[in-house]
Structure formats: structure tokens, C-alpha cells
Amino acid sequence: MNNKLYGNLIFELSQEGRKGYSLPKNRFGDYAVPAELRRQQDAQLPECDEMTVVRHYTNLSANNFGVDNGFYPLGSCTMKYNPKINEEMAALPQFQNLHPLQPADTVRGAEAVCTLLCRALCELTGLHAFTLKPFAGAHGELTGLMVIKKYHESRGDDKRRLVIVPDSAHGTNPASAAVCGLDIVEVKSLADGTIDVDALRELLTVCGDSVAAMMMTNPNTLGLFERQIPAIEKLIHDCGGLMYYDGANLNPMLGAARPGDMGFDVMHINLHKTFSTPHGGGGPGAGPVGVRQGLEQFFPEVSPYHGNFAVAIRAYAYILSLGREHIKEVGPLATLNANYIKECLKDVYELPIDGLCKHEFVFDGLKDKSTGVTTMDVAKRLLDYGYHAPTIYFPLLFHESLMIEPTENESKETIDGFIAVMRQIAEEARNTPDEVKSAPHNTPIGRVDDVLAAKHPIVTYRQLVADAQS
Ligand SMILES: *Cc1c(COP(=O)(O)O)cnc(C)c1O
């Protein structure tokens, strides 16, 4: 960190005795804090004037990268534009000042938002009922699997402990199954990236009567539509299991095809992905879970009150502003953008699975492997050009995965700009590979040691730690 603007921590700007606040006159009298609750030593706080504090945090905030300041093709995450009307709706004082323990007859409007959102989600997915309680996609997976577990238990069918997960699945699928106390079996993909139905059939002959559910993502994490769903659904239902749909990739399906019509019993939706509510850096999110008729009585209590209500408002505002007519355009546009990028770059980046994709696709690094430039290097170099990197090293099916999802909102000019830069980087990899391998060069922080950063992160102010130890 050699740039002065970014280099200082607020503690380093501190000047003893400097003040950036003035408290109002004490109108309440003095009350002694009991001795056992008092600090032994003064808290070590930075002492700065107000202007210094404002500049410090404003400059820090300018280091943020978001969909509002640049192209963000992070595969699997659907970083679409978050329309500002959603924010206005969520910020209405009539919503914002509600308390979850208010008498029900004073919150009919908020109730209506939840009911109408659930109704819209039912219509978009072909399922019967939704709960808005889960706070994220992974939380929704856990909730959905709890529904499935309770369903089997309610029938006295308690040997069903297996969850079948394709090898292309998002890591949260097996993790949720494990947290739910279920066992995981993996089913392989074919060379074309879709589920191997013969391998599944074979697996079921061995353990069919212990299968609780099959989890599928569609389009899958390679951006491919799983064409064998009717056959898979029949195999699983015939042996008594239920079908779970990971709806994180619902975007290209919006208004085009419905999981309920494909025979899925339970699904989650990532409102923060498909329904345009801001996410990143861990939240906020919402992962509503939908079920077919007859399963709604198994919804568990997974959060207090009504889940992440402000996210629900934003999602509902988004659905209403697109309406029945325009919501159908989301999927085709997202799909068109992804295929356009794929076709424009596949002569310089390795495309392991050719053909039409849905909203996203995966390259397996640069086509020319002789340069020694890796997917990590390409991702770092993109930062120099002002783009957020695609998702890298996921899915695990390829060594150099580079997963690109442009979403439907981007203009042709933005996408052409990204394509030009990706081609430029491929060119650099041939001519000046060291430039790429040492990127980023233009960001406040250069190349970090990933292992060190993950294993020994320093998340508190170093000096404070040192002081505490001495
Ligand atoms: C994002 C994602 C999840 C997890 O959702 P979170 O909201 O991040 O918990 C699960 N499955 C797939 C395919 C995803 O892309």
C-alpha cells in the first residue's frame, strides 16, 4: 500500500487531544456506572477532526466495486442492475418504521407485500406455497431439505438419509445436506456437462429406498439446461425420493419455464440474484422456499418474524415494474449476452463444452497453454482495466475455470468493451506474460498472497494487537 490516499488507517491519522464531535448538554443528570462495569483503562480510540474522518471514510468507500460503477460478470452470482425504484420503495417510512411485534391490524400493507410476493413467486415457478423466512440461498436449501426430511418422517419412512448431488453442484448443496444431518452421494456428469442418467439409474438400484432427495441446479453451474429432467424426475419419484431445485440460476428461466411444471417438489429462490436486490460482501439476501401442494405444513421456523422483509419489498417492486409482459424478456436477453461473449472469445479462451449456453458459461483458461498465464492471472489483470473478475476456479470440473455471467442489463457497447479487454489480455499473455502474471498494477493493493491472506488474515489493527500482547 504505497498510495498515500489509501495507505493510512484511521488510527494513524490520530492526533492526541483532537476532537471530531461535540455532545449536547447533559439534560438528564449524572448517574454513576457501577464500578464492575467500568473500563480499567481508557479505550484506544483514534482522535481525529471531523473533516479528516469524513475524507478518510469517503476515500475508503471509493475503493468499493459494485454494479453501479462497473461491469461485474461474476458467474453464478447474477450481479444484475438494482433499479433505484426498489430502494425508494424499501425506504418508505411506512415500511421502514414498522416493528415486527406491532399488532397485526396495523401492518396489513406489509402483510400484503409478503402475500403478493409469494403469489407472484408461485406463478413464476409453478409451485403451490412459499415461505419468505430463509435469509439466503444456502439457508433456503437447508430449509427445503428440512421440509423434505419432515415429509419422509411424517410417513414413517425414516431410512431416507441420502441426498443425491451432481458433481457440478454449488458447494452449498452438499453443505446444506450435511447441516441437515443427511448423507451425500455424488452423481457424475457426462462429457457434455449434464447429469449422467445411466449412472444415476445404476446408483438408484443400489440405494433407491434410502434416497430422501435429488438436488438439481437448472440451468446447471455450467450454464447448461439439463435436458434429461423428465427422466431424472421419474427415476427419483419412482423410488420414493423428492426433487429439489436449486433456483440460484432461475434468471434465464423467468417466464420461460417453471420448475413446478418439470416435477420439482421443493425449491429455493435467491431474491438477491434473480430479483435484483443488492448483494455482495455477504448480504443482505433472501432465499424464499417454495413447495408443491401438500408440503406446506412442513415449513420449519428458520428465522424470527418474517425473514428479510426489506429484500422482499425490493423483489416485489422489481416484479411489478417489469410486469407479466416484460419479465419474459429477462431470460432471453441474459442468454443472448452470455452466448455473444462466449462466441466472441472462444478462439482465444478454451471452451470445454461448445454449443448454446443459458445465462452463463465456463472457459477453461486461455487457449494457448504455453504462456504459463493462469485464470488467476487473467482475473487479476481484468482489475487493472476496471472490470470485476469473473468467478474463477469454480465449478471444479475444470482446472482453470473462468465463469462468466453478464446478465440481461448490459448494453452492447459495455459487452464489446469487455470482450476487447479479454482479447487484449490474451494478447498480452503471449507477448508480455510477466505483465499479466504480476497484475494488478493499477489497484490500491497489488497481488496478495492468497494462501497467507486466507490462513493468516490480519483483521484488526496490527498496533492494537501488538499493544494488547505487551
Ligand atoms: C449463489 C448460489 C447458491 C447459494 O446462495 P447464497 O444466497 O449465496 O447462500 C446456491 N447454489 C447456487 C447454484 C448458487 O449460484
Side-chain angles (χ1 to χ4, degrees):
M1 291 203 286
N2 44 18
N3 187 329
K4 197 88 183 82
L5 197 61
Y6 306 107
N8 288 325
L9 298 176
I10 191 78
F11 288 97
E12 292 165 336
L13 300 171
S14 180
Q15 297 292 331
E16 203 174 331
R18 196 66 53 82
K19 267 190 189 177
Y21 66 88
S22 51
L23 296 177
K25 264 209 186 86
N26 178 0
R27 292 182 291 119
F28 305 104
D30 290 321
Y31 298 90
V33 176
E36 72 274 17
L37 297 181
R38 272 182 240 154
R39 284 182 188 281
Q40 305 298 308
Q41 284 148 6
D42 282 347
Q44 293 186 40
L45 298 175
E47 299 176 72
C48 296
D49 58 281
E50 184 169 338
M51 187 91 243
T52 298
V53 173
V54 167
R55 285 187 181 142
H56 176 72
Y57 287 107
T58 305
N59 288 331
L60 273 185
S61 75
N63 283 347
N64 255 345
F65 191 99
V67 278
D68 285 358
N69 52 355
F71 184 50
Y72 207 135
L74 191 66
S76 197
C77 294
T78 313
M79 305 304 286
K80 66 167 70 176
Y81 176 59
N82 311 127
K84 303 309 162 229
I85 182 78
N86 299 357
E87 298 307 313
E88 281 176 42
M89 295 302 109
L92 286 176
Q94 293 89 331
F95 288 134
Q96 214 171 44
N97 298 331
L98 293 180
H99 191 282
L101 293 179
Q102 255 175 261
D105 61 359
T106 66
V107 292
R108 294 298 182 217
E111 268 181 12
V113 168
C114 294
T115 309
L116 293 170
L117 174 60
C118 286
R119 196 176 293 166
L121 297 180
C122 285
E123 201 156 317
L124 285 163
T125 59
L127 287 168
H128 175 71
F130 267 85
T131 170
L132 299 179
K133 291 201 165 214
F135 286 125
H139 198 201
E141 291 169 31
L142 174 63
T143 306
L145 290 171
M146 288 164 83
V147 168
I148 290 172
K149 201 173 166 193
K150 277 205 217 160
Y151 160 77
H152 290 307
E153 283 167 6
S154 77
R155 305 167 69 243
D157 196 355
D158 41 14
K159 62 182 179 313
R160 295 198 175 266
R161 319 228 26 103
L162 287 185
V163 175
I164 302 177
V165 176
D167 58 2
S168 62
H170 196 268
T172 51
N173 289 186
S176 303
V179 170
C180 196
L182 298 163
D183 300 323
I184 298 116
V185 222
E186 199 177 83
V187 61
K188 294 264 171 273
S189 301
L190 294 166
D192 74 359
T194 60
I195 290 174
D196 183 342
V197 182
D198 290 333
L200 177 66
R201 189 176 295 114
E202 199 146 311
L203 184 69
L204 293 176
T205 60
V206 187
C207 61
D209 59 356
S210 43
V211 169
M214 163 116 195
M215 295 181 92
M216 284 184 73
T217 307
N218 187 47
N220 67 21
T221 59
L222 293 166
L224 303 171
F225 193 94
E226 293 279 3
R227 291 209 170 78
Q228 296 292 334
I229 287 175
I232 295 171
E233 175 264 327
K234 184 160 185 339
L235 282 173
I236 296 294
H237 281 145
D238 280 354
C239 75
L242 295 187
M243 290 290 286
Y244 184 93
Y245 189 99
D246 177 333
N249 291 350
L250 194 67
N251 208 43
M253 311 283 282
L254 271 188
R258 309 193 305 170
D261 299 339
M262 298 174 201
F264 286 91
D265 304 290
V266 182
M267 76 175 292
H268 79 262
I269 290 176
N270 304 57
L271 290 187
H272 44 291
K273 293 180 181 172
T274 310
F275 294 96
S276 83
T277 85
H279 64 294
V289 167
V291 295
R292 71 166 162 76
Q293 191 157 17
L295 291 176
E296 64 275 21
Q297 70 264 33
F298 302 117
F299 279 142
E301 284 297 317
V302 290
S303 68
Y305 311 118
H306 309 286
N308 228 337
F309 177 56
V311 173
I313 301 171
R314 291 178 175 93
Y316 189 53
Y318 176 73
I319 292 173
L320 285 187
S321 40
L322 286 183
R324 187 183 293 274
E325 187 185 340
H326 297 294
I327 209 155
K328 288 190 187 136
E329 292 167 28
V330 169
L333 285 174
T335 300
L336 175 65
N337 284 351
N339 279 287
Y340 178 64
I341 297 177
K342 169 171 65 65
E343 293 304 312
C344 290
L345 289 175
K346 72 178 186 185
D347 59 323
V348 281
Y349 290 86
E350 181 80 41
L351 181 64
I353 297 172
D354 208 354
L356 271 186
C357 64
K358 292 294 169 198
H359 62 307
E360 64 190 356
F361 63 94
V362 182
F363 282 133
D364 189 9
L366 281 160
K367 198 154 198 173
D368 181 356
K369 302 287 183 215
S370 70
T371 65
V373 169
T374 63
T375 278
M376 176 66 86
D377 302 328
V378 173
K380 297 287 187 192
R381 187 65 176 143
L382 271 171
L383 307 182
D384 279 338
Y385 290 104
Y387 292 93
H388 196 284
T391 293
I392 57 173
Y393 299 108
F394 176 80
L396 307 176
L397 298 171
F398 312 113
H399 288 299
E400 292 290 325
S401 288
L402 188 78
M403 185 185 201
I404 297 174
E405 178 182 9
T407 84
E408 65 279 10
N409 304 118
E410 302 296 344
S411 68
K412 176 151 186 305
E413 292 70 28
T414 299
I415 291 182
D416 283 338
F418 174 71
I419 291 168
V421 162
M422 287 290 281
R423 298 192 70 86
Q424 164 92 18
I425 294 173
E427 190 67 32
E428 290 173 356
R430 269 193 295 276
N431 302 330
T432 49
D434 290 342
E435 178 94 358
V436 185
K437 294 185 76 58
S438 54
H441 305 286
N442 308 334
T443 50
I445 297 176
R447 176 89 57 129
V448 292
D449 180 328
D450 290 307
V451 177
L452 204 64
K455 299 281 178 196
H456 300 286
I458 298 168
V459 291
T460 54
Y461 184 49
R462 203 191 293 256
Q463 195 56 46
L464 280 182
V465 175
D467 287 354
Q469 282 167 347
S470 64

